[in-house]
Amino acid sequence: MSEPQNIYQGPERVFSGVQPTGNLHLGNYLGAIRKFVALQNEMECIFCVVDMHAITQWQDPKELRAQTLEIAAAYVAAGIDPEKAVIFHQSAVSGHAELAWIFNCVARMGWLNRMTQFKDKAGKDKERASVGLFVYPSLMAADILLYKATHVPVGEDQKQHLELTRDIATKFNNEFDAGPFFPLPEPLIKGAGARVMSLRDGSSKMSKSDPSDLSRINLTDDADTIAKKIKKARTDPEPLPETMAGLEGRLEAENLISIYAALSDRTSEDVLTEYAGQGFGVFKPALAELAVEKLSPITAEMRKLQADPAFLETILKTGAARAEAIATPVLDDVKRIVGFL
Ligand code: TYM
């Protein structure tokens, strides 16, 4: 679709979300949550626990409740201030479902058929995938556009969904002659940590659903477990090169270097300058120490917060009321534009 000029004039606003599907990991932290923390001081921010997205694949109800609170705990433990940013769970604001339905009628089958995440998640037997999994991206577009969000911090794996969101916004604006009613939200992807790879296979991304727990560092892992996983991470016998070009074809090594860079707010080149010529016998313990230093305070704070579910529920409830107040006038306008009585 051709890209029209984005002449949206509304305020800048950030929206993003994380699914409460368990095994929250370093990729989620570096690719998303850490960026949320930085953005809350720059713009109005809304951070959602997307429980409705989670049920596109089977979730045990009891686990889903616990995992929803776990994401809320992770947001706060990582440094998101619930007084500043809005933190809430998706199912508490019914506008997400209502707008998603309208977007199901705007998006085209062909667009959704191209989504690689559906293909990955549905696997070989597409006939058995839920319909919800197929229309997952229209719900995601609804999440963002219900708040007329202009900026969306995500990891690289969400890029295609963000492009679809822009296509839906464009088609809605054009077809209903609504002018620049919806913004064309900008993905905030760049930077170290946008694509953290599995510790067991440098060609696949670190993922909540990888059956091997050794493939990822969970935000709930203790210091010993983090160190053990890094020690066992797949690497090669070569020493580290001086430049990134020297890492060509060494996917696992490149991944560990970029994790180190992301955690220490340095560039990969800078990290290589320090460790050039060293083997993994030296580099891995340094990385483990850094990972423990950065992650342990978050893990400890998450545990503390999770011990007080009532506190977390209050944060979510208060956040939902704030979210609803922003969403309601937008949804009212959408209904009018569409022609609902
Ligand atoms: P989810 O729950 O899979 O992941 C949450 C965030 O973590 C990022 N991420 C990664 N970043 C770097 N390396 C990785 N290995 C890695 N794995 C995951 C994801 O890109 C994401 O930013 N569809 C979204 C949730 C969602 C959403 C939204 C996001 C629903 N509605 C609206 C933004 C705006 C998802 O499944 O994220």
Side-chain angles (χ1 to χ4, degrees):
M1 204 180 246
S2 69
E3 192 87 344
Q5 237 187 340
N6 189 355
I7 44 170
Y8 178 76
Q9 299 285 335
E12 294 194 316
R13 189 176 281 146
V14 170
F15 183 97
S16 198
V18 176
Q19 294 194 72
T21 43
N23 296 333
L24 195 64
H25 55 70
L26 182 66
N28 301 129
Y29 176 66
L30 293 176
I33 298 173
R34 195 174 69 145
K35 289 189 211 151
F36 302 174
V37 180
L39 282 164
Q40 67 181 337
N41 299 317
E42 291 172 29
M43 279 182 225
E44 181 184 5
C45 285
I46 305 173
F47 299 122
C48 189
V49 185
V50 291
D51 50 359
M52 287 160 63
H53 275 109
I55 63 161
T56 56
Q57 294 185 298
W58 169 251
Q59 304 296 325
D60 177 80
K62 206 165 143 235
E63 295 270 298
L64 181 62
R65 271 190 284 273
Q67 284 158 4
T68 298
L69 293 180
E70 178 170 287
I71 305 292
Y75 281 170
V76 178
I80 298 171
D81 176 356
E83 305 254 313
K84 217 184 265 175
V86 173
I87 297 178
F88 78 110
H89 57 304
Q90 192 183 25
S91 62
V93 178
S94 60
H96 290 254
E98 291 180 71
L99 188 57
W101 177 256
I102 293 167
F103 285 171
N104 280 341
C105 303
V106 172
R108 304 292 94 184
M109 289 290 286
W111 300 0
L112 291 171
N113 267 329
R114 283 195 288 274
M115 294 295 112
T116 55
Q117 182 179 286
F118 175 75
K119 290 178 196 151
D120 292 346
K121 289 197 170 174
K124 286 203 182 77
D125 198 355
K126 286 194 189 49
E127 298 293 310
R128 290 178 60 85
S130 74
V131 176
L133 188 65
F134 186 69
V135 294
Y136 178 116
S138 7
L139 177 58
M140 183 159 159
D143 296 342
I144 298 165
L145 295 172
L146 185 58
Y147 304 95
K148 295 190 171 181
T150 52
H151 295 80
V152 186
V154 281
E156 209 169 271
D157 60 340
Q158 296 301 314
K159 195 169 170 216
Q160 198 184 32
H161 288 158
L162 260 296
E163 281 159 10
L164 187 93
T165 301
R166 293 167 66 95
D167 287 346
I168 288 177
T170 303
K171 189 159 190 284
F172 183 97
N173 288 347
N174 290 344
E175 282 203 329
F176 291 104
D177 216 2
F181 177 76
F182 283 126
L184 305 188
E186 220 171 283
L188 303 176
I189 297 178
K190 284 197 196 87
R195 190 167 170 78
V196 177
M197 308 308 283
S198 155
L199 298 181
R200 304 300 296 164
D201 172 5
S203 66
S204 62
K205 67 168 187 174
M206 187 174 284
S207 146
K208 293 172 187 158
S209 57
D210 194 314
S212 166
D213 198 50
L214 286 174
S215 69
R216 68 183 155 259
I217 294 174
N218 299 308
L219 289 194
T220 48
D221 285 344
D222 60 22
D224 287 349
T225 311
I226 293 176
K228 186 184 86 183
K229 286 180 176 176
I230 291 175
K231 194 169 169 205
K232 291 200 168 177
R234 195 167 142 192
T235 41
D236 55 51
E238 301 297 317
L240 287 164
E242 273 166 33
T243 62
M244 289 299 285
L247 283 178
E248 178 103 26
R250 298 173 65 186
L251 297 180
E252 285 82 12
E254 191 183 336
N255 186 37
L256 294 188
I257 294 291
S258 51
I259 291 174
Y260 192 105
L263 283 171
S264 59
D265 284 318
R266 290 161 62 182
T267 62
S268 295
E269 286 79 8
D270 194 28
V271 177
L272 282 179
T273 306
E274 184 180 343
Y275 287 97
Q278 305 275 17
F280 287 97
V282 171
F283 182 70
K284 278 181 169 180
L287 176 59
E289 195 182 326
L290 176 67
V292 169
E293 179 198 319
K294 297 288 177 182
L295 300 178
S296 308
I298 299 173
T299 309
E301 189 58 24
M302 267 177 80
R303 290 225 173 89
K304 230 197 273 168
L305 289 163
Q306 283 178 282
D308 191 354
F311 175 68
L312 293 170
E313 279 173 32
T314 305
I315 289 178
L316 291 174
K317 213 169 148 195
T318 312
R322 288 169 68 194
E324 181 110 51
I326 304 170
T328 303
V330 178
L331 193 61
D332 285 349
D333 283 344
V334 169
K335 288 180 179 171
R336 189 180 41 75
I337 290 169
V338 168
F340 292 165
L341 259 189

